[in-house]
């Protein structure tokens, strides 16, 4: 007897039943003969490990237009606008907005979230609030927090002390923003400080790195060098790295070799960087993304994040991870058959590597019963259709159900499947 059986799911083009017992996946088979205390039909739709949001800002979410809109659309007006809004943060305000987005995440099958939280605030209001939210929602979504010094680790008053305080309070990951420090030297030094704190507090690193179109912004090489010298590899993540899209090929080729040695993770945020970057260009206008396809072709781990949902940097969004995957297909020209499939992996399995949770992630017997049903035939189809997640199972419990849209045309049902 199983606690739950999800019948008639599709896994790699095979029909499968998924049996759940004691919060774990206990069986995956073409047909499970026993009964379940609860049984649900997937109606032939795809089963998948849950989506993972590997880069979001939960403290800034749902503040778009407060106190003003970002009219230039630049990263810098975003930072200035957030600084204005930050002055009026309260614990309740941050908790309410972050909870709202995390509920959208869970409802859409996003069960692991890594969020940056701004530590350049003498009161650390958002840090305290998000630590509480991480705890209150832990049965629904697994949240990791990154201590992110938005206004500079070395350029903001007491930036290092504030970040360190956040780590002592329980923030999971060390962040940085080297390209936004006041000088290049401070930027390079900030990378070293981040690695020192990571060693001291035994935490992984995830830095906003080279988020600019300036081809002279070369802090990724500093991160790779530290990762190689300290043998940290997969515990290090470089987020954004959009300047990599503006480096000349001779430098990019050399750097790629170092990155292969370093084996660090990359997070690209295609929805946001396709809009934030290239703003000083007339035409031709750069895409402003890192070299997602080339990193992937070189065997490096790349995941995709949303970055923002309705805040000063990006005023749209719902948190549905198929949206950044869909944008990556277009903006990174990942249009080949295996490339589209890879974009799905970038919001699931690759993101699990970025978050360091591979051991407890995946649709396989023995793993925690966290999985989703998507209204699609396969990964390709999920991205093509921006398909709805119709069922979300977390810890062996059905936590969310969505009725997929049904359309009729002149009284006849219309299906968006190929046949
Ligand atoms: N802060 C930053 O420096 N860069 C971003 N893309 C966001 C916040 C969203
Ligand atoms: Fe970010």
């Amino acid at each position: 007897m199983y606690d739950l059986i999800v019948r008639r799911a599709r896994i790699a083009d095979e029909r499968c039943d998924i049996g759940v017992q004691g919060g774990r996946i206990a069986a995956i088979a073409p047909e499970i003969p026993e009964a379940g205390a609860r049984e649900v039909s997937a109606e032939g739709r795809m089963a998948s490990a849950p989506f993972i949001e590997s880069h979001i800002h939960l403290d800034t979410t749902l503040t778009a237009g407060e106190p003003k809109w970002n009219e230039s659309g630049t990263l810098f007006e975003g930072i200035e606008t957030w600084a204005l809004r930050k002055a009026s943060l309260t614990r309740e305000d941050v908790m309410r907005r972050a909870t709202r987005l995390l509920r959208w995440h869970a409802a859409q099958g996003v069960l692991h979230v890594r969020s940056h939280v701004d530590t350049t605030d003498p009161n650390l209001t958002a840090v305290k609030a998000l630590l509480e939210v991480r705890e209150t929602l832990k049965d629904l979504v697994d949240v990791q927090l990154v201590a992110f010094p938005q206004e500079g680790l070395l350029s903001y008053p007491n930036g290092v002390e504030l970040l360190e305080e956040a780590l002592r309070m329980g923030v999971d990951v060390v962040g940085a923003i080297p390209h936004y420090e006041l000088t290049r030297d401070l930027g390079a030094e900030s990378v070293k400080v981040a690695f020192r704190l990571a060693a001291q507090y035994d935490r992984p690193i995830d830095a906003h790195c080279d988020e600019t179109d300036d081809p002279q912004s070369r802090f990724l090489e500093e991160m790779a060098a530290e990762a190689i010298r300290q043998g940290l590899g997969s515990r290090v993540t470089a987020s954004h790295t959009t300047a990599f899209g503006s480096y000349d090929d001779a430098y990019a080729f050399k750097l790629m070799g170092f990155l292969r040695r370093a084996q660090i993770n990359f997070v690209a945020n295609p929805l946001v960087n396709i809009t934030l970057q290239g703003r000083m260009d007339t035409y031709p206008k750069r895409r402003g993304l890192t070299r997602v396809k080339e990193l992937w072709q070189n065997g490096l781990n790349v995941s995709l994040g949303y970055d923002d949902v309705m805040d000063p940097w990006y005023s749209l969004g719902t948190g549905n991870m198929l949206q950044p995957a869909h944008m990556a297909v277009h903006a990174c020209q990942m249009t080949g058959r295996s490339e589209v499939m890879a974009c799905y992996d970038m919001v699931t399995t690759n993101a699990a590597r970025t978050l360091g949770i591979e051991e407890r992630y995946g649709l396989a017997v023995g793993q925690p019963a966290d999985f989703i049903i998507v209204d699609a035939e396969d990964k390709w189809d999920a991205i093509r259709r921006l398909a709805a997640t119709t069922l979300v199972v977390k810890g062996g419990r059905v936590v969310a159900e969505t009725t997929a849209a049904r359309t009729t045309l002149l009284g006849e049902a219309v299906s968006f499947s190929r046949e």
Side-chain angles (χ1 to χ4, degrees):
M1 179 81 166
Y2 292 92
D3 301 331
L4 171 71
I5 298 179
V6 177
R7 296 205 184 269
R8 295 214 307 120
R10 185 166 170 151
I11 304 175
D13 292 331
E14 305 286 337
R15 184 223 130 112
C16 287
D17 290 352
I18 304 167
V20 170
Q21 209 164 27
R24 301 223 158 235
I25 298 172
I28 300 178
E31 216 163 338
I32 295 177
E34 296 90 347
R38 177 162 184 204
E39 300 213 357
V40 189
S41 174
E43 296 171 11
R45 297 177 177 132
M46 174 177 79
S48 167
F51 292 118
I52 300 180
E53 169 58 276
S54 55
H55 188 122
I56 186 75
H57 295 257
L58 286 175
D59 51 350
T60 64
T61 194
L62 297 165
T63 64
E66 298 170 7
K68 64 176 193 65
W69 295 90
N70 179 347
E71 296 295 345
S72 68
T74 57
L75 169 67
F76 306 108
E77 189 175 339
I79 295 175
E80 286 162 25
T81 307
W82 167 241
L84 298 174
R85 181 61 174 78
K86 191 160 55 172
S88 67
L89 283 187
T90 65
R91 166 181 172 270
E92 294 70 25
D93 161 42
V94 177
M95 288 184 73
R96 178 179 48 78
R97 291 182 288 98
T99 301
R100 189 165 179 80
L101 177 55
L102 287 167
R103 287 171 56 85
W104 290 355
H105 282 138
Q108 298 178 95
V110 185
L111 298 183
H112 301 274
V113 172
R114 175 178 278 185
S115 172
H116 297 258
V117 51
D118 187 357
T119 56
T120 53
D121 164 9
N123 303 314
L124 293 176
T125 303
V127 169
K128 292 173 195 158
L130 289 187
L131 284 167
E132 275 192 66
V133 170
R134 185 183 71 183
E135 190 59 25
T136 40
L137 291 187
K138 72 172 191 298
D139 292 336
L140 197 56
V141 197
D142 170 32
V143 177
Q144 284 185 7
L145 298 174
V146 185
F148 170 53
Q150 174 69 79
E151 295 183 53
L153 186 57
L154 301 176
S155 308
Y156 186 81
N158 300 316
V160 177
E161 289 75 11
L162 287 164
L163 193 141
E164 213 170 336
E165 178 62 17
L167 296 175
R168 277 196 296 268
M169 288 164 70
V171 170
D172 307 276
V173 183
V174 179
I177 185 164
H179 57 275
Y180 195 64
E181 300 291 348
L182 287 165
T183 67
R184 181 197 297 244
D185 286 347
L186 285 172
E189 194 188 330
S190 76
V191 172
K192 295 201 168 62
V193 172
F195 274 79
R196 176 174 62 70
L197 292 173
Q200 190 179 336
Y201 290 88
D202 189 25
R203 306 289 161 87
I205 297 175
D206 186 339
H208 281 62
C209 188
D210 300 320
E211 191 186 11
T212 161
D213 297 316
D214 175 6
Q216 303 299 323
S217 185
R218 295 184 171 188
F219 299 105
L220 177 54
E221 69 180 20
E222 304 280 350
M223 289 190 71
E226 287 301 315
I228 291 169
R229 284 154 61 187
Q230 301 188 29
L232 286 176
S234 64
R235 280 176 64 88
V236 176
T237 299
S239 280
H240 296 290
T241 62
T242 59
F244 200 176
S246 291
Y247 295 157
D248 70 71
D249 284 329
Y251 175 66
F253 184 82
K254 180 197 79 167
L255 179 63
M256 194 64 90
F258 292 171
L259 298 175
R260 279 202 306 267
R261 277 167 60 192
Q263 286 297 313
I264 62 175
N265 306 300
F266 291 83
V267 183
N269 300 291
L271 290 166
V272 169
N273 286 125
I274 195 82
T275 59
L276 286 182
Q277 310 309 132
R279 290 281 178 163
M280 279 75 209
D281 294 352
T282 55
Y283 290 91
K285 190 187 272 289
R286 283 170 285 184
R287 290 167 194 240
L289 296 181
T290 194
R291 300 192 184 203
V292 170
K293 190 194 315 209
E294 293 75 13
L295 287 164
W296 170 73
Q297 286 169 337
N298 275 273
L300 287 153
N301 185 49
V302 186
S303 62
L304 303 172
Y306 224 107
D307 204 14
D308 308 277
V309 173
M310 301 189 76
D311 74 8
W313 294 275
Y314 186 68
S315 61
L316 311 179
T318 62
N320 174 353
M321 294 312 296
L322 289 173
Q323 290 172 346
H326 190 264
M327 180 56 79
V329 168
H330 296 78
C332 308
Q333 299 188 331
M334 301 275 294
T335 52
R337 178 82 186 157
S338 63
E339 292 167 358
V340 173
M341 304 286 216
C343 289
Y344 189 92
D345 295 340
M346 289 179 190
V347 292
T348 52
T349 45
N350 296 13
R353 273 179 74 185
T354 303
L355 268 58
I357 57 167
E358 312 104 293
E359 280 173 19
R360 56 191 168 91
Y361 179 85
L363 185 57
V365 171
Q367 290 290 20
D370 303 339
F371 60 90
I372 59 177
I373 300 296
V374 181
D375 185 20
E377 294 168 12
D378 56 21
K379 298 173 183 179
W380 170 288
D381 200 39
I383 292 179
R384 174 180 77 88
R385 294 168 65 169
L386 291 167
T389 292
T390 55
L391 191 80
V392 182
V393 177
K394 165 72 184 172
R397 236 177 4 133
V398 174
V399 294
E401 287 173 89
T402 296
T403 308
R406 299 245 174 275
T407 306
T408 59
L409 176 69
L410 302 175
E412 211 180 289
V414 176
S415 157
F416 293 95
S417 71
R418 187 159 160 178
E419 280 103 40

